[in-house]
Every structure is written in structure tokens, then in C-alpha cells.
Amino acid sequence: MEFAELIKTPRVDNVVLHRPFYPAVEGTLCLTGHHIILSSRRQDDAEELWLLHSNIDSIEKRFVGSLGTIIIKCKDLRIIQLDIPGMEECLNIASSIEALSTLDSVTLMYPFFYRPMFEVVEDGWRSFLPEQEFELLSSLTDEWRLSCINKEFSVCPSYPAVVIVPKSIDDEALRKVALFRHGSRFPVLSYYHKKNGMVMMRSSQPLTGTNGRRCKEDEKLINATLRAGKRGYIIDTRSLNVAQQARARGGGFEQEAHYPQWRRIHKSIERFNILQESLIKLVEACNDQSHNMDRWLSKLEASNWLTHIKEILTAACLAAQCIDREGASVLVHGTEGTDSTLQVTSLAQIILDPRCRTIRGFESLVVREWLQAGHPFQQRCAQSAYSNSKQKWEAPVFLLFLDCVWQILRQFPCSFEFNEHFLIMLFEHSYASQFGTFLGNNENERSKLKLQPKTMSLWSWVNRPEELNKYKNPLFEANSLVIWPSVAPQSLQLWEGVFLRWNRSSKFLDEAYEEMVTLIEYNKQLKAKVNALRRQLAELETDDRMQENP
């Protein structure tokens, strides 16, 4: 298919762009296969708008006489308005945008056509391989091995080609365990705690069913993570009621009779449509122009967004507490093990592991616990808060995770190497990007799409020194301790940087941030001068004492 077939009117003059807090811009609107471009005609105003079609969540058309207006609502929560002279031109532009923003084929998306204008110094596709992670693990313990059982994605279609499993469990046993777990997602290593050797594993639910089916290989696998005389904890991200309903449909949970060394704890985290509806309500509240504080707070509370944040952080803190304070290993799962499970395992690592609070460590975490672990980004991020289409599998699971990270960052502002802008950048690219990193639902699909040779990795762009500087936290001081976030209601706040940034001047925010960085740098220089003066005074006092007592 040629993109030109979908573009009825490629160019329109005298189009006016309206955005909150910015003056209106008049210019020429151009449609390409992947972008809406608006260029100002005035010499003193070189401003341009470049908007990916894949970033468009919905569009609305309005007409007053011959003047048409298109309101574009984006997946990054932006709302822009285009005033287009001529009804026919407006209708043509609108229908073209609708067609280009809803392409079915992944291979027609922009990452397959994007060619970088920067020098590629690092192949991001090879930056965080499982083999590299296993090498780090091997320097700490010899109780684990790298299994290539899933090399052709034949055992578990949503797992990566290689996984880390206990050395005492062979591949034949893994095949049997895979048949006993939903979607064949058998327990694999998620995290090894250096302090005490305890581990966190993740999987999907066991297929026990109403008959209480068991799998001795599954029992042996998870028992292999236990120390002699120690108990483990299974954290189920469903309520007991939901887990029992799943058992009636062939799923279920680990029976105490078959897993006597494991204590099961249910920590309910909502899924799919409930989360999507929560995001829609939250964004609606943030866009409320009534200026009525009581109404706004009521809407914010009704969205339940901060309740979901609390639920996720509570489960992650529990997992971290079991590992660090109880000295116990943990298995985390829900139903599929691709959503709430990954929220808990990745946040627990941020609490426990200082490496995950560095930029590269966090990137590695996103690759390991989200991309390689099979979070279905293509499905979950197909729509954002404005889409009029019927919901299928959309849910802001990754955005909720990033929001939880921001909550911890806000409570521990000196413990993270990255800043808020880094998290916002990841949110934006997970929904629409020129890079191939978040395309597909798992490594199997990415392999079939040949993303590595055909598209550029996000990490190749982010990890260039000139780009990385934007995302560094000037307050960062390496902290080797475990950090325990508060989940009290007064400790959790609305993430203004995402949900209110288009409702206030981002230019003002950028200037405020730059001013803060300047003040911090000045403060550092001042501290250095004070310390130098103290040293000089100490030296003078020493000289005086030596002269007094020759």
C-alpha cells in the first residue's frame, strides 16, 4: 500500500494552530505518511509542529461556515486545534489523519522508515542481553544456569529465547512445568539479592483447576530456590476471590498441601479495563476547566488512580520486605504474569537494588522485566485516554509503573541518577516513537518483525552523552541502602509532569528546571569554596600551633 493513496490533500496554506499557553501560529500544514507538519510562514517565527500519526488517539471535526476545525487528542495527553480554511480541505485532512493513525500493519509504522540523523555509537539492541545479566549473577552465585530451552520460542511464546533457572532443574523438567503454567510461563529468576542470597522469581498462575491438579516438577523448581529450613512467600496479585474464580476456569493457585514451605499472600492489583477507565477519568478531571476545587478533587478521587498506585507500591514493598527483612525467597504471579506481576517485580528491585536507580540500571530493568519478560506493549498502548474506539486489551500498566517510580523518586530525590524527564520520555516512547524498542508484544514477535536490523533502538539515541545530560538528576548521590517508600495517602501525589503538563506552560517549567539546576550547581561550587577555606584555616591553625610549640 502506498501512503499517497491515503493522503487526499497533502498541503493546505493559512492553517492556524492553537495550543494552551502558546500564541496561535499560522502556517502551512503538510501531511506525510507518518507526520503532521505545520510550518510557520513568518520569518521571525521559525516554530514547527511535527506530530507522529501514531501519537494520535482521536480527532474531532467542527465547522463554522466554510471554516473547519480539527481537534487532535494525542496519546501523550496533548490536545491541539487546527483551524483549516475550506470545508473540503478540512474533511480531506481529517479523513487522511484518521486513516494514517490507524494503520493495521506494524511494518508500515514510522520506526521502519526512520533513519537517524545522529552518529550511532552504541547498538542499543545489544546493550542489555540476558547473557550479560547472567555474567553479573555468576560472579555472585553458581546456583543458577542460563537455559536455551526457549531458543525457537517453542516452549513459551511470550518468554525470551534464554532464561535463568535453578541449576538443579533440567530442561526436560522445565517443559513439564511449562505445561502446568498459564501460557507456559514457568517460574524464572527475576532478581538475586546480594545481601543474603534470597531471590525473586516470576511466573503465571498454575493450572490446578477444580480437580487440584499438581506438578511435582513445578514444586521441585520453586523449592530449589529455598535455603534449608527456610520458608518462601508466593505473592499473588489477585484477590483470593478472583483466584478462586480462575481455578473454576482451569487456572488457580498453589495448594498448601503441595507447597508446604510456601506461604501464599494475596495482594489485589486491578487489571485491563478498570485501569483504562481510571486513566480516562483522571485525564478528564485534569482537563476540567470549571476551576472548582471541590469538584476537581472529587473527580480525582473518583478516578481511583492514586488508589492503584498505592496497591502496586504496597505489593512491591511486601515483596522487598520478604526478601530483605524476612530473609525469604519470593515467587510473584497473577494470571498471565505479564502485567501486575512485572509491576511488582520491577518496583521491588528499585527498592532493593541501587543499580536499578542509575540510568543504565533502570534501562536494563525495563528491558529485562518488561520487554524481554513479555509485557504486551503493542496491545496495552494501542490507545490512551482519548480514544473513541471500543477497548480491547488497552491498559496503562507501564504508565502506572513509571508513576510509581516517580512517587519513589519524589520521596528519595537524591537516590536516583535520572530525573522526571527520563520517566516522561519513556512514557511517550511506549505509546508512539520513531524507535522500534516498544513495538511488538514480546521477543518472539520482535524477532519475526526483524526489528533489530530494520529499526533503531531507543537506547542508541538516549545513551549518547549529549542526550543523556538532559535526563541526569543534579541531586544524585549514590545510595547503597534499601529505600522504603511511604504509601500513606499524604505521601502519594498526582504526577503533574505527565497529567498537567499540557495544562500549563511547559516553557515555564523548562525555565524553572534550568534555574533549579543552575542554583544547585552554584550551591555545589559554594560548598567546594567553603570546604577549601576550612582546609586553609585548619592549615593556618596547625602552623600557629607549631610556631607556638617549636
Side-chain angles (χ1 to χ4, degrees):
M1 184 201 71
E2 294 291 333
F3 290 116
E5 296 171 16
L6 301 177
I7 302 173
K8 297 176 181 178
T9 302
R11 170 178 167 153
V12 181
D13 291 322
N14 304 319
V15 174
V16 180
L17 167 68
H18 299 276
R19 291 170 296 177
F21 298 102
Y22 284 89
V25 177
E26 184 179 343
T28 300
L29 180 74
C30 297
L31 286 188
T32 71
H34 297 104
H35 287 93
I36 299 171
I37 305 167
L38 187 131
S39 301
S40 172
R41 297 191 310 172
R42 287 165 45 190
Q43 293 295 322
D44 60 336
D45 186 359
E47 189 171 0
E48 285 188 324
L49 169 74
W50 284 70
L51 182 67
L52 275 171
H53 295 310
S54 58
N55 194 5
I56 295 171
D57 216 19
S58 71
I59 70 168
E60 298 171 11
K61 304 180 288 287
R62 297 174 188 167
F63 296 96
V64 178
S66 62
L67 179 69
T69 294
I70 297 176
I71 297 170
I72 298 175
K73 298 182 177 181
C74 304
K75 292 176 184 175
D76 63 9
L77 309 183
R78 240 183 309 181
I79 299 178
I80 63 174
Q81 178 180 317
L82 298 171
D83 292 341
I84 300 173
M87 186 179 291
E88 185 180 350
E89 285 83 356
C90 184
L91 287 169
N92 286 345
I93 292 291
S95 65
S96 297
I97 292 172
E98 283 175 338
L100 291 164
S101 61
T102 55
L103 295 171
D104 290 330
S105 174
V106 176
T107 55
L108 291 175
M109 298 183 84
Y110 187 48
F112 286 92
F113 297 82
Y114 171 72
R115 294 296 173 265
M117 302 295 287
F118 58 87
E119 183 187 358
V120 179
V121 294
E122 175 186 346
D123 181 3
W125 290 115
R126 302 194 61 79
S127 293
F128 307 105
L129 299 175
E131 291 83 357
Q132 295 165 348
E133 198 63 32
F134 181 69
E135 198 174 318
L136 287 172
L137 177 68
S138 299
S139 66
L140 303 171
T141 176
D142 62 355
E143 297 175 343
W144 300 81
R145 69 183 181 92
L146 207 57
S147 172
C148 298
I149 188 175
N150 203 40
K151 189 168 65 172
E152 304 296 329
F153 306 104
S154 55
V155 173
C156 176
S158 63
Y159 267 175
V162 291
V163 290
I164 301 174
V165 295
K167 190 179 274 188
S168 59
I169 306 298
D170 61 28
D171 283 356
E172 192 52 44
L174 291 179
R175 285 191 176 87
K176 291 178 181 177
V177 178
L179 295 173
F180 181 66
R181 293 277 170 174
H182 184 106
S184 302
R185 292 176 67 88
F186 54 89
V188 296
L189 182 70
S190 173
Y191 171 68
Y192 178 88
H193 196 42
K194 281 191 284 188
K195 176 181 168 182
N196 57 15
M198 295 300 106
V199 300
M200 180 164 54
M201 300 186 80
R202 51 176 161 75
S203 69
S204 59
Q205 66 175 342
L207 302 176
T208 54
T210 51
N211 296 327
R213 181 179 167 221
R214 69 184 290 192
C215 173
K216 290 186 178 179
E217 289 80 7
D218 186 85
E219 296 159 24
K220 184 182 176 185
L221 194 164
I222 68 167
N223 284 337
T225 68
L226 295 177
R227 295 275 185 269
K230 288 280 188 178
R231 285 172 64 88
Y233 291 89
I234 296 170
I235 297 177
D236 193 325
T237 61
R238 306 165 295 179
S239 66
L240 178 58
N241 185 42
V242 170
Q244 287 172 336
Q245 289 173 4
R247 186 170 63 175
R249 296 191 297 271
F253 46 85
E254 293 80 2
Q255 303 287 334
E256 289 177 19
H258 302 148
Y259 300 84
Q261 292 172 275
W262 293 82
R263 181 188 168 196
R264 194 178 71 251
I265 304 172
H266 290 271
K267 281 290 177 184
S268 177
I269 296 174
E270 294 292 359
R271 305 169 67 236
F272 297 149
N273 62 320
I274 291 173
L275 298 180
Q276 188 67 9
E277 286 167 13
S278 178
L279 175 65
I280 290 167
K281 287 178 181 176
L282 174 64
V283 173
E284 184 185 318
C286 292
N287 290 336
D288 190 337
Q289 301 296 317
S290 66
H291 304 295
N292 183 315
M293 183 58 73
D294 289 339
R295 178 178 165 180
W296 188 83
L297 289 172
S298 175
K299 280 189 167 187
L300 177 62
E301 187 179 3
S303 74
N304 283 323
W305 185 264
L306 292 176
T307 303
H308 300 318
I309 296 288
K310 182 182 178 181
E311 288 172 352
I312 296 163
L313 279 173
T314 301
C317 286
L318 174 64
Q321 189 174 355
C322 291
I323 292 167
D324 186 70
R325 292 184 174 173
E326 300 288 325
S329 288
V330 170
L331 170 66
V332 183
H333 72 70
T335 302
E336 294 90 354
T338 57
D339 295 288
S340 57
T341 298
L342 307 183
Q343 289 173 328
V344 172
T345 58
S346 49
L347 285 166
Q349 290 178 60
I350 286 166
I351 292 167
L352 294 168
D353 187 1
R355 184 170 74 103
C356 294
R357 296 173 228 145
T358 65
I359 291 175
R360 288 195 76 90
F362 190 80
E363 290 172 353
S364 175
L365 181 75
V366 169
V367 171
R368 190 174 68 249
E369 291 297 295
W370 291 88
L371 293 160
Q372 292 170 358
H375 177 65
F377 279 97
Q378 197 80 39
Q379 291 179 348
R380 298 290 181 267
C381 300
Q383 297 174 17
S384 185
Y386 297 121
S387 177
N388 300 317
S389 305
K390 188 179 179 183
Q391 292 175 27
K392 293 180 183 176
W393 303 106
E394 296 80 11
V397 177
F398 188 61
L399 174 56
L400 271 163
F401 159 69
L402 294 175
D403 198 329
C404 288
V405 177
W406 177 78
Q407 302 287 345
I408 305 174
L409 168 61
R410 199 182 57 78
Q411 292 181 30
F412 297 90
C414 300
S415 296
F416 289 81
E417 187 186 12
F418 51 85
N419 58 28
E420 177 187 23
H421 295 291
F422 185 66
L423 299 174
I424 294 171
M425 177 272 296
L426 290 173
F427 154 60
E428 291 175 340
H429 283 277
S430 66
Y431 277 88
S433 179
Q434 66 267 46
F435 304 105
T437 301
F438 291 105
L439 290 181
N441 293 305
N442 48 58
E443 295 293 275
N444 184 15
E445 288 187 14
R446 293 184 192 104
S447 175
K448 288 176 181 175
L449 289 167
K450 295 182 169 59
L451 292 185
Q452 189 168 334
K454 291 186 176 181
T455 70
M456 181 62 56
S457 166
L458 171 66
W459 316 121
S460 298
W461 172 66
V462 170
N463 289 330
R464 295 175 304 128
E466 60 270 33
E467 193 63 31
L468 212 54
N469 286 333
K470 298 178 188 175
Y471 304 121
K472 286 187 175 177
N473 174 13
L475 297 173
F476 176 61
E477 289 182 14
N479 175 9
S480 61
L481 300 175
V482 174
I483 55 175
W484 298 103
S486 169
V487 295
Q490 64 269 27
S491 300
L492 304 178
Q493 292 187 7
L494 177 68
W495 190 4
E496 294 181 23
V498 166
F499 299 110
L500 295 177
R501 65 176 168 154
W502 305 114
N503 299 347
R504 56 189 184 175
S505 175
S506 60
K507 185 179 178 184
F508 168 77
L509 289 173
D510 289 340
E511 286 173 357
Y513 179 75
E514 290 296 330
E515 191 174 333
M516 183 192 77
V517 171
T518 304
L519 284 170
I520 289 165
E521 287 300 322
Y522 176 72
N523 192 30
K524 283 181 179 177
Q525 291 170 15
L526 206 59
K527 276 184 181 177
K529 287 179 180 177
V530 168
N531 289 334
L533 284 169
R534 281 176 178 163
R535 283 195 299 272
Q536 288 175 12
L537 282 169
E539 287 170 6
L540 286 169
E541 286 173 1
T542 304
D543 290 344
D544 288 345
R545 282 196 296 271
M546 288 175 70
Q547 287 173 9
E548 289 171 6
N549 305 296

